Amino acid sequence: MLSGLYRSFVSASWKKMMAPVVMLWLALCLSGTLAVDRGNFKTCDQSAFCKRQRALQPGQSPYRALLDTMELTHTKLTLQLINDNNKVRLLLELYRLQGNMTRVKINELKPLKPRYEVPDVLVQQPLTEPLSLLSQDENGVVLSLGGEAQRVILSARPFRLDIMEGHELLMSLNSRGLLAFEHLRTRKDTSQSDSEAEKPQGTDPADQAEQPKADDKVEEEKDEEGMWEETFKSHTDTKPNGPSAVSLDFSLPGVEHVYGIPEHAETLKLKTTDGGDPYRLYNLDVFQYELFNPMALYGAVPVMLAHNAQRTTGIFWLNAAETWVDISSNTAGKTVFGKMLDYVQGSNETPQTDVRWISESGIIDVFIMLGPTPYDVFSQYASLTGTQAFPPLAGLAYHQCRWNYNDQEDVQAVDAGFDQHDIPYDFIWLDIEHTDGKRYFTWDPHKFATPKDMLQGLLEKKRKMVAIVDPHIKIDSEYKIHTEIRSQGFYIKNKDGGDYEGWCWPGNAGYPDFTKPEMRAWWASMFAYDQYEGSMENLYTWNDMNEPSVFNGPEVTMHKDAVHGPWEHRDVHNLYGFYVQAATAEGLIQRSGGVERPFVLTRAFFAGSQRYGAVWTGDNAAEWDHLKISIPMCLSLSLVGISLCGADVGGFFKTPNSELLVRWYQTGAYQPFFRAHAHLDTPRREPWLFGPDNTALIREAVRQRYALLPYWYQLFYHAHRTGHPVMRPLWVEYPQDAATFAMDDQFLLGRDLLVHPVTEEGARGVTAYLPGKGEVWFDVHTFQKHNGAQDLYIPVTMSSIPVFQRGGSIIPRKLRVRRSSACMEHDPYTLFVALSQRRKAEGELYLDDGHTFNFDTKGEFIHRKLSFSNNILSSSNLAPAAHLSTMSWIERILILGASKPSKVTLKTAGGQDSQLEFEFDASMSVLTIRKPGMNVGEDWSVVLK
Amino acid sequence: MKCILVSIAMASSYLLVMFLGAVTAVEVLRPRGVPLSKRQFYEENRPFTCLDGSGTIAFDRVNDDYCDCKDGSDEPGTAACPNGSFHCTNAGFRPGFIPSSRINDGICDCCDTTDEYNSGATCQNTCRELGRKEKESLQMLAEVAKEGFLLKQQLIHEAKRGLDEKQVVTELQLSKRASEDAVEALRLVKEAAEKPEKEAKDRHLKAWEEQQAVIRAEKDNTKMAEAFLRLDVDADGLVSAVELQAHTELDPDADGMFTEEEAQGVLGGVETVDTAAFETIWSSIKEKYLSEVTVWPASDHDSEQYPDEEVPEEYEDEDPDDEDDEDQDEEDDKVGRPPPLSLLFSSFFFNPLPKVKPSGLYSQWLTRSVLMGLEKEISLDFGPSFEFAYLYGQCYDLTTSEYIYRLCPFNRVSQKPKFGGSETNLGSWGSWSGSEENVYSQKKYDHGTGCWQGPNRSTTVKLTCGKETVVMSVSEPSRCEYLMEFTTPAVCQEPPSLDANHDHTEL
């Protein structure tokens, strides 16, 4: 949907909104630009703790490990660190976790009051493995991390951790000495301000970088500007707890490529931040965001992956406060030529990337995932925060959204339009205007007077609806949701103890405290059919504005000194959206008695949000660059566990021309969450409004999506089971091929499909990189075979969607595309067997009922392994314990890269052998086996002779 | 080579189509999903050739749930081909095709339920009900159209009378004598007008011809439907040979003995036909067929001729002496053909000039005003027979829960909050914007108040036939793009009934 300020205007103009919001709009409008108003958002310099921390100079760490405080139990090592400047002691905890991970926690030994530790994100207390002491002297200790000759070297002075494997240094912590831990302190009263007075005014904090002192002298700590109060654009952040920032640096020797830390409108490969702002992680409702910069967006996953040809590692910085990430590299400034020169001249400088994390509050709690492969890192991270929720099949189909479908007749007309133009769709969406005055869980009494009739109409077509439910609650004593939240004390409080109020769509609104388990339970109960009037089983939910967006708040979000029970909003900010989606998903599960899988889309997210549903990239724009950036934005999310990602097809703001719209459909059809969406002020853009040719192009793109749903579904099942991403950067599959490391104009779906969408205006051709020496790739449309490890120029027309199937794979499709995915449930499959150079292929086929948890709770599914070798294609059971009866059968088998057989025989368990008819296309070497007819649940083999 | 059995229970690939008339039953054997008109291509036990000629397959491959033909023609009754279509007979209602992807998808598409033969969906046959409803609504529409059309004739008549009474010519003469300047100005206007005039003429001619073709086709269809209904005495949705026998004019040999065999012959060799089949025989009997009640006027076709006469060119013949005659011509021309362009000066006629004898400066001013008015009006197109002229200067309101919408035809559309607040312009008169077949079915008002970051507001007004002139609804399908539904007698088409004759004589 959209950013606050502007939408508030729209709301205002139509709904007589309140003056302050209109004023905000005016301010915005006068700025007169369509791009983000950067002035609304802080730079590092404008964020006091970031400025303070960034001013620290490397190589001057005051921290020393007190080795005599070391305790080693079989699960962890604890040790005190002391800051020699102020003598404040910290407690270091070091754990070896199962699955090749190391966890480092640092907190104050004796904080004045507890510091926030992020709950609910880890799926369980991580399982530990024993650590053992290898050696110890006065300079430090060496611990064994178990297998693989992995060791941690803990140096005492200054404190530093180095993680080694054999002779290889994998990662160092505090190697640059930028560990910083602002201890909690009591505010000095005015009488103590003498020391301040001595200080010259306007001292650059950099000058105050503390010098190592003699052991016993405790330096008088000075208050710096912004430690106890900070003002940004007329918003004052009272900081009753004073400074509380934490920071740590990581060095990654041998690494030139780092990824992740979404959400940013940025390339897949992260850039160095020297000379600019760090990447910021602070969930914000950013109006018309700009591309290719480190500004914060709607969600935050504090996970970074580092990769080189030998190893992939990851850093998970578990902190929900505002966070900034600096990246620098010793090779960043070098050209390829410069690097070659280094090589030729034998320069022994190893490439290295240095990363530094800075958070405003909380503790340091970092998980170091040691790979070594990309898939190991995915599994390691999944073991901590869980895997992708397995969406209902329909969630992977096409979604039609607009702000707004005006009324029930409009919904009906759009629904009929899809049938009339023979374009499939599964979900139609309702944005905020469907409610009664932006009171969520209600319906506009005139426009949506009989929602159940509307939903029933969709149900009869086997289609579904999503209605928006945002977390800001209209303050209205007649509104049940509000009165209940207020009476139960569930609202977030302001610093003075009253209910926090802010402006959002409904005008004055309260914000429920989703960090409270009782609040989440109550919220979930509101989705019960008897609570949410007009809802039915085919109504699902969309959580927008859950950063949270507060139109009149600092940076369009909540004041950091708002209060969530014992914690400040400052501590929990990036978690808010995570909790909103979690509670909503729980509601959808509960309303069906735990049977049905939920589908919930969220705009704000955090680490672990993958467990609750889908994420989209927010309010993008109808521009070619926005289309292009949808690829790296979703790839970055995929790398950190969130597979169900999509961008608004067509672009939210502005109006796409038909070429851009068609290209966006073609791209979106091959991205996980496939939803068209449009801003209220844009002309209608349902797929049939651009002339018959464009309608046909869009129809074809959507049909390709539907035909491929079996593969998508199987990939999501796999993602759910393993945490492996669905949409993958090429380097994940070709980790040693440096040509792929920065590639983000193409991607893989699973292992087997390579997609290079056309994202250039007026394109006549694209150059796709087909990876893999010795591999072959088949154009999925023409079946033309191409060799791997080459740049392939592909001439394109408006109908082209360059997609290639990897030789060696088997992909199931359902070619009988119908009007919704549910209509295709019993349809037969066509298997696309693409042979490798060695004439082998493998694949899988997964199916279940498509919408319940029975696959999990009752083992009701079919999971087959399909393999081709020695001229025999066979299907074997990957899950013998599971059971499901299906009517689906195999109607056709295409073998790409085949030679002509003389005979094709089908063998089924217990059945007689039978001869199958086939056709052979010699020009493309495609063998088509006609109607083998076996049920997909059976064991069978097809023998070519 | 034998295919193994598909594990899903395939119903027979044949469909025994049963026509159960009241008198007889006819069984037509053809593959499922094939329309009668194509059954000859699907001959049992003969190899089937794909209808696009792309291949030939054994007949047992027709409807065997595997797509063999590129054009999908071998699977008319299954969902196997992505591009196939399925024919629903829909006895009692209109037959139709659905995409084959809707066969057995669990959703009832054909009102006769034949598309869901193996999905477990329980569908009710709703064809009779739909047929009845359609008939009712058609009747109602016809009634509205009939009355509306009468009203339209009145409107046209009044417009004509308005012309007579206002003696424009005199005024024009006055004004011309008044000033050389004015004459010069007029000449300029004339030159400016000529171009659009020519274009307008061509456009009218084209629109008119297309409109007539559509009307002719519609009339023929209506005649056919009417004939079917009349012939189908027992109203079972089928016309039987027995029913046909009552119409001796259809006797092929006209020997006064219209036998049942002859009647069957007329029906194409079967006992009964449904509407679809009737369609195929209609062309052979329509000339002979006589309705008991309707006599199609011989003059019917005359009115469809576009008049060859030149469009009056009053501006070219500026010579005052000619004007009387010309005015006379106009009256004769006006009815039943596209608008002589002189009529585009409507408001001029409707807004009589002051009856004072102008002199000097006043005269100049007057002339200029008239010319400015003319200039404005010259762009207005009041329809083929001037039937929309009555809307000029009028406004029509619709009040919704929030706003009062006002449509002032040929002027503007506006929106005003119900409870105070300023008015918003939703668009000013732009042009007729209907389809090529009927350009007067829709009009567009644009260049309204601008939307921030959006387009200028605009309104599309859809006109439908109604007895009254009313704004029926307003919606905003896209932000700042409004859609208004408006009924007026002015768009009512001549109903294809006995009244047609009457209308013609009256005019």
Side-chain angles (χ1 to χ4, degrees):
Chain A
M1 262 209 334
L2 116 113
S3 136
L5 290 176
Y6 170 47
R7 276 173 67 156
S8 70
F9 156 64
V10 174
S11 223
S13 71
W14 297 100
K15 294 282 177 193
K16 283 191 282 178
M17 247 189 47
M18 329 59 192
V21 183
V22 176
M23 290 306 292
L24 274 174
W25 169 72
L26 282 175
L28 182 90
C29 197
L30 291 172
S31 76
T33 161
L34 286 181
V36 66
D37 186 351
R38 284 174 180 251
N40 283 330
F41 303 101
K42 289 184 183 178
T43 61
C44 177
D45 239 21
Q46 292 167 318
S47 183
F49 78 93
C50 186
K51 185 179 181 183
R52 264 194 325 266
Q53 293 293 326
R54 228 188 176 197
L56 292 184
Q57 296 301 306
Q60 299 168 351
S61 180
Y63 288 99
R64 178 162 55 89
L66 301 173
L67 294 180
D68 53 347
T69 64
M70 183 173 84
E71 286 178 39
L72 183 64
T73 70
H74 66 286
T75 60
K76 68 173 174 182
L77 170 138
T78 59
L79 180 75
Q80 290 177 20
L81 307 178
I82 188 163
N83 180 333
D84 279 327
N85 291 341
N86 59 16
K87 299 297 171 202
V88 173
R89 291 190 179 202
L90 304 179
L91 181 68
L92 167 82
E93 294 174 71
L94 194 147
Y95 303 80
R96 172 66 178 178
L97 301 184
Q98 287 183 14
N100 203 13
M101 287 181 283
T102 297
R103 181 182 192 177
V104 176
K105 264 177 100 165
I106 301 175
N107 198 350
E108 288 182 58
L109 182 64
K110 289 176 183 165
L112 274 182
K113 55 194 278 192
R115 297 180 65 119
Y116 188 67
E117 298 188 34
V118 175
D120 301 315
V121 166
L122 300 180
V123 284
Q124 59 177 14
Q125 192 62 37
L127 301 174
T128 56
E129 280 178 353
L131 282 165
S132 56
L133 189 64
L134 290 179
S135 67
Q136 176 173 13
D137 60 25
E138 72 281 5
N139 296 320
V141 295
V142 181
L143 296 160
S144 166
L145 289 174
E148 319 240 357
Q150 283 186 358
R151 288 159 294 146
V152 175
I153 300 165
L154 191 158
S155 309
R157 191 181 190 123
F159 163 70
R160 168 182 171 136
L161 290 173
D162 293 283
I163 299 172
M164 310 277 298
E165 185 173 300
H167 296 292
E168 190 191 354
L169 177 59
L170 303 182
M171 194 183 296
S172 306
L173 281 67
N174 201 33
S175 50
R176 288 189 295 156
L178 296 172
L179 167 64
F181 211 105
E182 292 180 334
H183 63 96
L184 298 181
R185 61 202 81 181
T186 47
R187 189 169 191 166
K188 296 168 190 162
D189 57 34
T190 41
S191 70
Q192 284 177 290
S193 66
D194 292 357
S195 60
E196 291 231 345
E198 292 166 17
K199 224 170 59 175
Q201 289 284 316
T203 306
D204 185 337
D207 295 340
Q208 297 171 31
E210 299 173 41
Q211 305 295 319
K213 300 285 181 203
D215 274 22
D216 291 316
K217 190 180 173 207
V218 176
E219 183 178 308
E220 179 73 18
E221 284 184 293
K222 298 180 183 96
D223 275 353
E224 293 175 40
E225 195 187 331
M227 276 186 167
W228 295 94
E229 192 175 278
E230 179 173 354
T231 299
F232 177 70
K233 297 197 77 168
S234 84
H235 296 285
T236 296
D237 176 13
T238 67
K239 298 182 175 179
N241 296 323
S244 57
V246 297
S247 163
L248 183 60
D249 67 272
F250 301 78
S251 292
L252 302 160
V255 169
E256 290 181 84
H257 292 82
V258 290
Y259 311 95
I261 54 168
E263 180 176 37
H264 301 99
E266 181 58 291
T267 52
L268 173 65
K269 175 191 185 315
L270 297 172
K271 295 173 181 142
T272 57
T273 57
D274 306 319
D277 258 7
Y279 285 101
R280 188 183 189 201
L281 294 170
Y282 189 57
N283 295 356
L284 289 176
D285 179 359
V286 180
F287 173 68
Q288 292 190 337
Y289 57 80
E290 271 179 46
L291 306 186
F292 306 112
N293 76 46
M295 288 174 70
L297 286 179
Y298 314 94
V301 183
V303 175
M304 180 184 283
L305 270 62
H307 176 73
N308 63 24
Q310 287 75 47
R311 181 180 284 271
T312 309
T313 57
I315 298 168
F316 171 28
W317 175 267
L318 181 52
N319 188 303
E322 179 183 345
T323 296
W324 299 78
V325 184
D326 255 323
I327 298 170
S328 58
S329 158
N330 61 359
T331 54
K334 287 188 184 166
T335 60
V336 174
F337 179 73
K339 287 181 195 174
M340 268 171 58
L341 208 64
D342 280 356
Y343 180 76
V344 172
Q345 294 174 344
S347 159
N348 56 9
E349 187 186 26
T350 328
Q352 176 167 315
T353 296
D354 294 310
V355 180
R356 183 184 183 207
W357 300 71
I358 305 166
S359 290
E360 186 176 11
S361 67
I363 64 164
I364 292 173
D365 189 1
V366 59
F367 296 80
I368 296 158
M369 301 173 284
L370 292 169
T373 71
Y375 287 100
D376 292 330
V377 176
F378 300 142
S379 302
Q380 287 154 7
Y381 180 63
S383 75
L384 298 172
T385 66
T387 61
Q388 175 64 50
F390 189 27
L393 174 63
L396 300 176
Y398 174 63
H399 299 258
Q400 180 67 33
C401 187
R402 172 175 183 82
W403 177 29
N404 212 94
Y405 286 118
N406 298 330
D407 49 31
Q408 290 179 205
E409 292 69 38
D410 198 359
V411 168
Q412 204 174 15
V414 172
D415 177 73
F418 276 92
D419 284 344
Q420 190 192 332
H421 298 92
D422 202 17
I423 300 172
Y425 89 94
D426 271 53
F427 276 93
I428 187 163
W429 291 53
L430 295 181
D431 209 322
I432 53 173
E433 312 296 334
H434 84 277
T435 59
D436 180 8
K438 316 296 185 299
R439 293 169 185 86
Y440 305 105
F441 301 101
T442 71
W443 305 82
D444 184 297
H446 304 293
K447 297 169 182 166
F448 294 91
T450 54
K452 282 195 178 178
D453 292 349
M454 171 178 63
L455 288 164
Q456 185 62 39
L458 292 170
L459 194 66
E460 281 162 12
K461 296 245 192 99
K462 302 194 179 182
R463 286 174 176 150
K464 305 169 203 306
M465 172 172 268
V466 168
I468 199 164
V469 174
D470 288 352
H472 50 258
I473 303 300
K474 185 177 175 72
I475 295 179
D476 169 5
S477 57
E478 305 292 307
Y479 177 31
K480 180 188 80 173
I481 299 286
H482 163 71
T483 52
E484 284 224 26
I485 294 173
R486 171 162 282 183
S487 69
Q488 301 203 49
F490 283 158
Y491 277 125
I492 296 170
K493 304 288 186 276
N494 60 35
K495 63 180 165 54
D496 304 315
D499 285 349
Y500 180 91
E501 292 182 9
W503 296 99
C504 208
W505 295 136
N508 208 18
Y511 292 78
D513 188 352
F514 281 91
T515 65
K516 279 197 170 85
E518 320 85 74
M519 167 58 211
R520 296 200 297 274
W522 176 85
W523 179 265
S525 74
M526 289 298 102
F527 288 88
Y529 295 119
D530 59 349
Q531 292 292 324
Y532 188 169
E533 279 176 38
S535 68
M536 283 181 30
E537 65 270 26
N538 63 337
L539 180 70
Y540 295 79
T541 311
W542 170 17
N543 294 144
D544 197 1
M545 315 298 280
N546 52 343
E547 294 75 22
S549 180
V550 181
F551 295 164
N552 58 341
E555 301 190 88
V556 203
T557 191
M558 188 166 283
H559 293 74
K560 283 177 176 171
D561 52 11
V563 176
H564 300 247
W567 307 110
E568 280 189 291
H569 184 69
R570 182 185 334 276
D571 302 311
V572 305
H573 175 86
N574 284 348
L575 265 183
Y576 190 77
F578 163 95
Y579 277 131
V580 173
Q581 192 192 18
T584 304
E586 182 57 32
L588 295 192
I589 294 171
Q590 280 178 15
R591 70 173 186 182
S592 72
V595 174
E596 297 288 328
R597 282 180 252 161
F599 181 83
V600 182
L601 177 72
T602 182
R603 191 169 71 182
F605 51 84
F606 190 68
S609 286
Q610 69 269 17
R611 306 200 294 266
Y612 305 114
V615 159
W616 96 109
T617 61
D619 300 340
N620 61 359
E623 292 170 1
W624 288 92
D625 275 349
H626 273 269
L627 168 59
K628 288 186 190 109
I629 209 153
S630 70
I631 300 172
M633 286 182 79
C634 280
L635 286 176
S636 295
L637 279 161
S638 296
L639 288 176
V640 299
I642 298 177
S643 266
L644 192 44
C645 167
D648 285 346
V649 169
F652 177 69
F653 291 113
K654 304 190 184 176
T655 300
N657 63 24
S658 58
E659 184 188 356
L660 176 57
L661 186 67
V662 167
R663 290 303 188 200
W664 212 316
Y665 268 98
Q666 293 173 339
T667 305
Y670 287 91
Q671 291 177 347
F673 174 55
F674 181 26
R675 182 186 74 152
H677 188 31
H679 188 280
L680 187 70
D681 274 349
T682 60
R684 295 291 281 240
R685 56 169 98 137
E686 284 70 44
W688 49 87
L689 296 176
F690 300 85
D693 291 351
N694 291 311
T695 305
L697 291 168
I698 293 171
R699 179 190 299 120
E700 174 56 24
V702 178
R703 289 174 67 101
Q704 285 185 27
R705 170 60 165 235
Y706 274 74
L708 199 55
L709 281 175
Y711 183 64
W712 279 105
Y713 197 52
Q714 167 199 318
L715 289 177
F716 270 91
Y717 176 71
H718 197 65
H720 175 67
R721 288 296 191 204
T722 64
H724 296 175
V726 169
M727 183 176 169
R728 301 173 187 169
L730 267 69
W731 65 261
V732 166
E733 287 294 337
Y734 299 88
Q736 288 164 7
D737 183 352
T740 65
F741 291 178
M743 212 167 262
D744 61 8
D745 57 351
Q746 59 180 47
F747 54 88
L748 294 164
L749 296 177
R751 294 174 62 196
D752 301 334
L753 281 186
L754 184 148
V755 186
H756 188 117
V758 181
T759 57
E760 292 284 346
E761 184 166 21
R764 299 283 185 83
V766 298
T767 301
Y769 178 71
L770 302 181
K773 211 171 171 63
E775 291 208 29
V776 288
W777 294 86
F778 293 86
D779 184 313
V780 300
H781 309 296
T782 65
F783 306 135
Q784 170 88 46
K785 184 160 96 174
H786 302 282
N787 287 325
Q790 67 156 327
D791 282 318
L792 178 70
Y793 180 78
I794 307 145
V796 298
T797 63
M798 270 315 291
S799 64
S800 306
I801 316 177
V803 180
F804 300 87
Q805 182 176 346
R806 190 176 57 82
S809 67
I810 302 174
I811 288 181
R813 283 190 176 83
K814 283 187 174 181
L815 298 185
R816 303 182 181 191
V817 173
R818 303 191 189 245
R819 71 186 119 194
S820 72
S821 65
C823 291
M824 296 161 65
E825 182 183 357
H826 306 299
D827 280 342
Y829 290 82
T830 295
L831 303 180
F832 289 78
V833 181
L835 299 185
S836 67
Q837 295 287 54
R838 286 190 228 134
R839 303 180 52 75
K840 285 177 186 288
E842 278 191 4
E844 290 178 19
L845 195 154
Y846 173 85
L847 69 149
D848 60 20
D849 64 23
H851 57 96
T852 71
F853 285 110
N854 293 349
F855 76 97
D856 197 31
T857 55
K858 299 182 179 169
E860 289 178 4
F861 62 93
I862 290 170
H863 197 186
R864 310 290 305 181
K865 182 187 174 82
L866 306 170
S867 58
F868 184 96
S869 66
N870 301 321
N871 279 327
I872 299 172
L873 174 65
S874 60
S875 168
S876 56
N877 202 345
L878 279 172
H883 57 93
L884 180 77
S885 66
T886 177
M887 281 157 61
S888 291
W889 48 289
I890 312 280
E891 69 168 331
R892 192 184 290 106
I893 298 169
L894 270 75
I895 302 181
L896 316 180
S899 42
K900 186 175 182 178
S902 57
K903 200 164 81 168
V904 178
T905 311
L906 170 69
K907 297 170 190 287
T908 52
Q912 282 184 331
D913 291 2
S914 52
Q915 300 301 306
L916 300 178
E917 227 182 287
F918 60 87
E919 269 177 47
F920 184 74
D921 173 356
S923 67
M924 286 292 168
S925 303
V926 177
L927 175 68
T928 304
I929 301 172
R930 184 188 192 280
K931 208 181 177 188
M934 54 284 195
N935 187 287
V936 294
E938 290 180 317
D939 287 339
W940 51 264
S941 56
V942 170
V943 182
L944 313 184
K945 281 201 175 113
Chain B
M1 223 178 278
K2 179 94 183 87
C3 286
I4 70 143
L5 267 179
V6 171
S7 58
I8 66 166
M10 283 296 302
S12 156
S13 66
Y14 281 91
L15 168 66
L16 198 61
V17 182
M18 303 284 287
F19 291 96
L20 293 169
V23 188
T24 54
V26 179
E27 298 171 4
V28 183
L29 201 61
R30 56 190 154 117
R32 192 192 296 276
V34 173
L36 266 178
S37 61
K38 286 188 180 157
R39 74 172 170 209
Q40 69 269 25
F41 301 118
Y42 296 83
E43 269 194 76
E44 196 184 352
N45 300 325
R46 290 228 193 133
F48 172 75
T49 301
C50 306
L51 297 187
D52 64 357
S54 62
T56 298
I57 55 173
F59 194 77
D60 64 6
R61 297 272 159 99
V62 171
N63 278 347
D64 72 338
D65 206 18
Y66 185 87
C67 192
D68 292 289
C69 293
K70 287 203 171 69
D71 66 352
S73 57
D74 63 315
E75 297 293 318
T78 78
C81 293
N83 52 349
S85 59
F86 175 86
H87 182 263
C88 329
T89 307
N90 291 347
F93 188 56
R94 276 179 282 120
F97 289 93
I98 58 167
S100 15
S101 65
R102 295 182 193 169
I103 300 169
N104 290 330
D105 65 351
I107 299 163
C108 309
D109 290 288
C110 300
C111 65
D112 64 4
T113 77
T114 51
D115 59 317
E116 296 301 314
Y117 57 85
N118 194 27
S119 70
T122 47
C123 301
Q124 303 292 320
N125 187 324
T126 55
C127 292
R128 301 264 149 164
E129 180 65 11
L130 286 172
R132 190 181 59 76
K133 277 189 184 155
E134 188 182 55
K135 201 170 150 189
E136 278 173 13
S137 79
L138 281 175
Q139 274 170 356
M140 220 161 73
L141 277 176
E143 243 156 75
V144 170
K146 186 173 140 191
E147 289 180 46
F149 190 69
L150 280 176
L151 287 167
K152 177 178 174 179
Q153 300 313 309
Q154 280 175 28
L155 291 173
I156 293 171
H157 189 68
E158 276 165 31
K160 184 178 78 172
R161 226 177 41 222
L163 283 177
D164 292 343
E165 286 167 3
K166 277 152 194 170
Q167 299 184 355
V168 184
V169 185
T170 321
E171 309 298 341
L172 259 180
Q173 282 169 338
L174 278 174
S175 67
K176 277 181 191 168
R177 255 178 258 126
S179 153
E180 284 300 316
D181 286 353
V183 171
E184 179 57 28
L186 258 171
R187 194 165 287 131
L188 290 173
V189 171
K190 168 211 150 199
E191 281 164 21
E194 270 171 10
K195 202 171 163 235
E197 197 178 326
K198 170 86 169 57
E199 284 166 4
K201 182 187 165 186
D202 293 343
R203 185 161 50 81
H204 277 295
L205 180 59
K206 188 156 179 276
W208 172 257
E209 283 167 357
E210 282 162 355
Q211 199 180 337
Q212 288 306 320
V214 170
I215 291 169
R216 266 198 300 279
E218 269 171 10
K219 275 185 185 165
D220 190 49
N221 277 337
T222 318
K223 274 189 225 169
M224 180 179 74
E226 208 172 47
F228 185 90
L229 289 175
R230 287 195 202 287
L231 288 169
D232 181 14
V233 176
D234 57 5
D236 62 351
L238 301 166
V239 169
S240 67
V242 176
E243 286 166 337
L244 206 62
Q245 278 175 276
H247 283 256
T248 49
E249 78 274 14
L250 298 176
D251 186 0
D253 52 10
D255 60 357
M257 287 288 291
F258 193 19
T259 64
E260 194 170 348
E261 288 71 31
E262 284 173 333
Q264 278 191 28
V266 172
L267 294 181
V270 291
E271 292 262 357
T272 62
V273 291
D274 62 359
T275 49
F278 189 76
E279 213 170 317
T280 60
I281 63 162
W282 169 245
S283 59
S284 62
I285 65 165
K286 67 177 171 190
E287 299 304 335
K288 284 188 190 170
Y289 167 76
L290 290 174
S291 151
E292 297 92 317
V293 278
T294 311
V295 177
W296 298 96
S299 63
D300 189 29
H301 292 280
D302 296 351
S303 67
E304 294 167 19
Q305 298 298 318
Y306 187 85
D308 281 332
E309 313 132 73
E310 302 213 337
V311 171
E313 298 168 322
E314 61 270 86
Y315 262 96
E316 273 175 31
D317 294 70
E318 210 54 79
D319 184 351
D321 299 339
D322 291 338
E323 294 213 359
D324 277 333
D325 297 336
E326 211 177 326
D327 201 33
Q328 207 56 45
D329 289 342
E330 275 172 30
E331 283 185 51
D332 298 334
D333 288 339
K334 240 183 339 188
V335 177
R337 49 189 188 87
L341 290 174
S342 59
L343 294 189
L344 298 179
F345 300 90
S346 61
S347 70
F348 180 62
F349 300 125
F350 280 145
N351 301 301
L353 297 165
K355 294 272 181 188
V356 292
K357 190 174 166 110
S359 66
L361 283 174
Y362 174 73
S363 170
Q364 282 185 30
W365 169 83
L366 179 69
T367 308
R368 222 167 273 137
S369 309
V370 169
L371 287 171
M372 280 164 70
L374 281 173
E375 220 168 341
K376 178 165 180 252
E377 298 308 315
I378 205 163
S379 62
L380 295 184
D381 171 355
F382 288 125
S385 304
F386 206 37
E387 62 269 36
F388 297 102
Y390 81 104
L391 297 170
Y392 187 80
Q394 305 294 312
C395 290
Y396 303 89
D397 284 1
L398 176 74
T399 304
T400 67
S401 54
E402 273 178 278
Y403 298 104
I404 301 164
Y405 292 90
R406 169 164 291 183
L407 167 65
C408 304
F410 301 104
N411 185 4
R412 68 199 290 262
V413 183
S414 59
Q415 173 201 52
K416 200 175 169 164
K418 209 167 162 185
F419 307 105
S422 59
E423 193 180 82
T424 308
N425 181 357
L426 303 186
S428 300
W429 166 249
S431 61
W432 294 103
S433 60
S435 59
E436 279 185 23
E437 292 83 47
N438 189 3
V439 74
Y440 298 103
S441 62
Q442 189 169 298
K443 49 185 179 173
K444 180 96 182 183
Y445 292 77
D446 41 26
H447 299 104
T449 312
C451 284
W452 186 69
Q453 231 204 337
N456 282 35
R457 286 175 178 79
S458 64
T459 304
T460 298
V461 180
K462 283 195 170 157
L463 295 92
T464 50
C465 167
K467 286 184 273 184
E468 285 162 3
T469 305
V470 186
V471 177
M472 300 294 287
S473 71
V474 185
S475 57
E476 191 183 356
S478 206
R479 177 58 88 189
C480 304
E481 290 178 13
Y482 295 80
L483 179 67
M484 199 170 251
E485 289 181 310
F486 184 61
T487 64
T488 162
V491 293
C492 294
Q493 294 295 339
E494 186 175 6
S497 69
L498 63 169
D499 293 332
N501 194 22
H502 174 66
D503 285 346
H504 277 281
T505 53
E506 187 198 25
L507 298 168

